[in-house]
Amino acid sequence: VETKVPGFFDRMKDECVNRDRGKDETGTWGSDTMTFQDDELSYALGKQGGTRKKLERSSECVVQYVGHNAVFSGTRPQRKRAREYMKWLFEQLE
């Protein structure tokens, strides 16, 4: 969608991110976002999305990229793990 209609996600971000917040048995389900620079985006995606898939498996969090944004969805501990793993990933770029 973001490729066909640039800026669409930015207009819908708050609604999308907050839509399912707290609607699980633990009450901690939600979504967080992180914005990337161009070089970070391609690094975070990896070859054929491999890095993203590894982040999902290791953190047990849903990780999707929309334009230059990453969306992390899961329980609070899962989202925290995914963001921490993403931070470790970017530290390798330095």
Side-chain angles (χ1 to χ4, degrees):
V1 172
E2 192 66 19
T3 304
K4 300 228 183 241
V5 184
F8 181 81
F9 180 71
D10 287 333
R11 290 191 300 273
M12 302 295 292
K13 183 174 16 177
D14 290 335
E15 179 185 338
C16 292
V17 169
N18 294 318
R19 177 179 51 214
D20 297 324
R21 190 168 298 279
K23 292 185 180 175
D24 69 326
E25 58 277 351
T26 67
T28 64
W29 178 270
S31 297
D32 296 331
T33 62
M34 177 186 284
T35 303
F36 296 133
Q37 302 300 320
D38 287 334
D39 59 331
E40 294 173 330
L41 179 61
S42 60
Y43 191 67
L45 186 57
K47 185 177 180 181
Q48 297 181 344
T51 303
R52 181 190 61 80
K53 293 173 188 173
K54 289 175 187 176
L55 283 168
E56 280 188 323
R57 282 193 305 268
S58 61
S59 66
E60 299 178 336
C61 180
V62 178
V63 179
Q64 290 294 316
Y65 301 134
V66 182
H68 281 77
N69 298 287
V71 180
F72 305 103
S73 296
T75 62
R76 186 173 292 121
Q78 291 169 338
R79 296 190 319 264
K80 182 178 178 184
R81 249 189 327 269
R83 292 179 71 85
E84 186 175 337
Y85 294 168
M86 187 71 72
K87 180 181 169 190
W88 292 346
L89 181 69
F90 289 145
E91 285 175 358
Q92 296 176 21
L93 275 175
E94 297 173 358

